[in-house]
Amino acid sequence: MSARVLPVITESELQTHATRASCYVALGSRVFDVTSFLEDHPGGGDLILSYAGRDVGEVLQDEISHLHSEAAYEVLDDHLVGRLELEPTLATSKPAKDFADVKLGGQADANVEPSLVPNTTGVSSAEDLSVETDVSKDYGTHKFLDLNRPLLMQVWNGGFSKEFYLAQVHRPRHYKSGQSAPLFGNFLEPLSKTPWWIIPTFWLPPVIYGTYIAKEGMSSWAQVAAYWLVGLAIWTMVEYGLHRGLFHIDGYLPDNRVAITVHFLLHGIHHYLPMDKLRLVMPPTLFIVLAIPFWKLAHVLFFWNWHVATAVFCGGLFGYVCYDCTHYFLHHRTLPAYYRELKKYHLQHHFMDYQNGFGVTNRFWDRVFGTELCPPKATRAV
């Protein structure tokens, strides 16, 4: 961290910054403005807000709730805004030791400025996903991809073995606070970026129209709803199957640059840059390619009635919309209790075990097929 004079913030001032519009927390003698991090916090912004305007030293080290990794302190370092002036007469939560004490297990090095100990252990928790990657250092260390240059041709021309590629692409990076790293580097670049709201905007009108058309060949809306729900249930299996059998075909991936490049475009880039806000949902042009076979499959399975097959397909398509929106929200939004658990579960898939935990909207099929993730064990920070 570069040397600079930090403003002094009193405890009274700190406590006034306890809202979603302005959220400050303290750790020892340092104050951090974490307002911009609320939506990206893996546990949800409401959890941070419950400690807003206070010292967070104890909760960061609480093994029962969640022992935070080195990455959590790295995130704080990016939001440092001032030094805390203590007011002994003011009742506050118990202050934490300063950074050096906290990070080094109470054995502070007298020669070390009380600052953040750099994270050198790679990805060990959900917080690591939001730690910005030092691009030049990362490329120099791993000799994989330079995030400042178009990624696609680097993958194509890299000559990577499958083993090396899979090891690197599943080691998450974070580019410029969640911005999109260049993929094509030309006029095709916008086609690789999709805001989440495009998905419901593009797909819900066909769902509504298709459901209306399906009703014309059935006796009641109750019958339409029944087949529509069948399609929704089928989608949950498709979601699991696509994620496990196509996106994570890793073990069966041919060891050549064509297969590796296709893998990178389909899903590898998401594991490589999991907090990229514009490459979390599937571009409609790509999903149309996947949707056509499912349209035909629905009419093969429910061959006796075109309208029934259409209702089933529309229910499945609505399931896809829910899936893609849920996927985005798990990465970037504060969510209700049920979805907070899903958020933790899905981010474990990214930072802990990408070979399990394939369910995004639910864990049901992970339980059926024995791929459910176990909660990560808390380990004491050193």
Side-chain angles (χ1 to χ4, degrees):
M1 181 184 299
S2 60
R4 58 188 173 120
V5 178
L6 294 171
V8 174
I9 298 173
T10 67
E11 287 187 281
S12 298
E13 290 173 325
L14 174 65
Q15 291 175 353
T16 65
H17 295 276
T19 67
R20 191 172 294 276
S22 180
C23 180
Y24 284 15
V25 296
L27 183 57
S29 64
R30 299 193 176 193
V31 178
F32 307 89
D33 180 357
V34 294
T35 310
S36 62
F37 184 64
L38 291 177
E39 289 188 355
D40 290 334
H41 183 246
D46 289 339
L47 182 59
I48 296 181
L49 286 170
S50 66
Y51 293 93
R54 294 191 287 157
D55 190 286
V56 294
E58 289 186 342
V59 72
L60 286 175
Q61 292 190 293
D62 186 354
E63 294 187 14
I64 296 177
S65 62
H66 172 59
L67 183 62
H68 288 68
S69 73
E70 302 287 334
Y73 298 89
E74 291 279 353
V75 170
L76 281 178
D77 194 34
D78 292 336
H79 296 83
L80 180 64
V81 293
R83 291 188 177 276
L84 183 64
E85 181 181 81
L86 297 178
E87 299 172 8
T89 60
L90 193 63
T92 60
S93 57
K94 182 180 178 181
K97 299 175 182 178
D98 212 336
F99 281 124
D101 290 327
V102 171
K103 300 294 296 279
L104 303 176
Q107 301 298 317
D109 187 340
N111 298 317
V112 176
E113 161 73 15
S115 185
L116 297 172
V117 178
N119 172 35
T120 58
T121 60
V123 176
S124 60
S125 76
E127 288 86 356
D128 288 36
L129 302 178
S130 296
V131 176
E132 188 162 322
T133 299
D134 183 326
V135 174
S136 58
K137 181 179 179 182
D138 178 74
Y139 182 68
T141 300
H142 299 288
K143 300 297 189 294
F144 183 47
L145 302 178
D146 181 348
L147 287 168
N148 285 326
R149 295 166 46 219
L151 301 177
L152 181 62
M153 295 312 296
Q154 291 185 72
V155 175
W156 179 257
N157 294 320
F160 307 126
S161 68
K162 180 178 79 170
E163 181 180 8
F164 176 79
Y165 163 76
L166 290 175
Q168 287 299 319
V169 85
H170 289 111
R171 180 186 177 92
R173 275 74 165 182
H174 188 56
Y175 183 71
K176 295 184 178 180
S177 302
Q179 295 183 34
S180 297
L183 180 59
F184 297 104
N186 55 33
F187 67 95
L188 294 173
E189 196 72 27
L191 297 179
S192 71
K193 301 175 183 179
T194 308
W196 73 269
W197 51 265
I198 290 289
I199 301 306
T201 301
F202 187 91
W203 289 112
L204 285 183
V207 168
I208 294 169
Y209 178 72
T211 303
Y212 175 78
I213 294 298
K215 167 63 174 63
E216 294 180 353
M218 285 186 268
S219 59
S220 67
W221 280 109
Q223 188 180 16
V224 174
Y227 283 112
W228 204 84
L229 290 173
V230 168
L232 189 59
I234 291 174
W235 165 258
T236 65
M237 292 185 283
V238 172
E239 172 193 314
Y240 178 88
L242 282 176
H243 197 182
R244 183 179 183 181
L246 178 62
F247 299 157
H248 283 278
I249 196 174
D250 305 350
Y252 301 96
L253 187 70
D255 195 353
N256 61 64
R257 69 178 185 176
V258 174
I260 286 173
T261 302
V262 171
H263 180 278
F264 184 76
L265 288 173
L266 273 179
H267 198 60
I269 191 172
H270 173 54
H271 272 262
Y272 188 61
L273 295 162
M275 302 307 283
D276 184 337
K277 294 181 179 181
L278 295 179
R279 293 194 179 114
L280 264 169
V281 298
M282 192 174 293
T285 49
L286 178 57
F287 189 72
I288 287 173
V289 175
L290 297 175
I292 290 173
F294 289 112
W295 167 264
K296 294 184 179 296
L297 179 62
H299 285 80
V300 168
L301 295 177
F302 299 89
F303 61 89
W304 64 88
N305 189 316
W306 185 92
H307 295 88
V308 165
T310 300
V312 170
F313 178 79
C314 288
L317 188 56
F318 179 76
Y320 159 70
V321 173
C322 293
Y323 154 78
D324 239 356
C325 291
T326 298
H327 188 204
Y328 178 87
F329 295 154
L330 294 184
H331 279 262
H332 289 291
R333 288 290 185 268
T334 300
L335 300 165
Y338 168 74
Y339 287 98
R340 282 200 296 270
E341 291 303 311
L342 275 182
K343 181 181 184 111
K344 292 178 183 177
Y345 185 75
H346 180 65
L347 294 185
Q348 280 179 239
H349 169 73
H350 280 279
F351 78 79
M352 189 176 78
D353 184 1
Y354 66 87
Q355 295 178 319
N356 289 292
F358 302 108
V360 174
T361 59
N362 67 88
R363 306 186 192 188
F364 178 77
W365 296 109
D366 277 322
R367 290 168 178 158
V368 170
F369 292 107
T371 56
E372 186 175 19
L373 289 164
C374 296
K377 295 180 179 179
T379 57
R380 183 171 294 278
V382 295

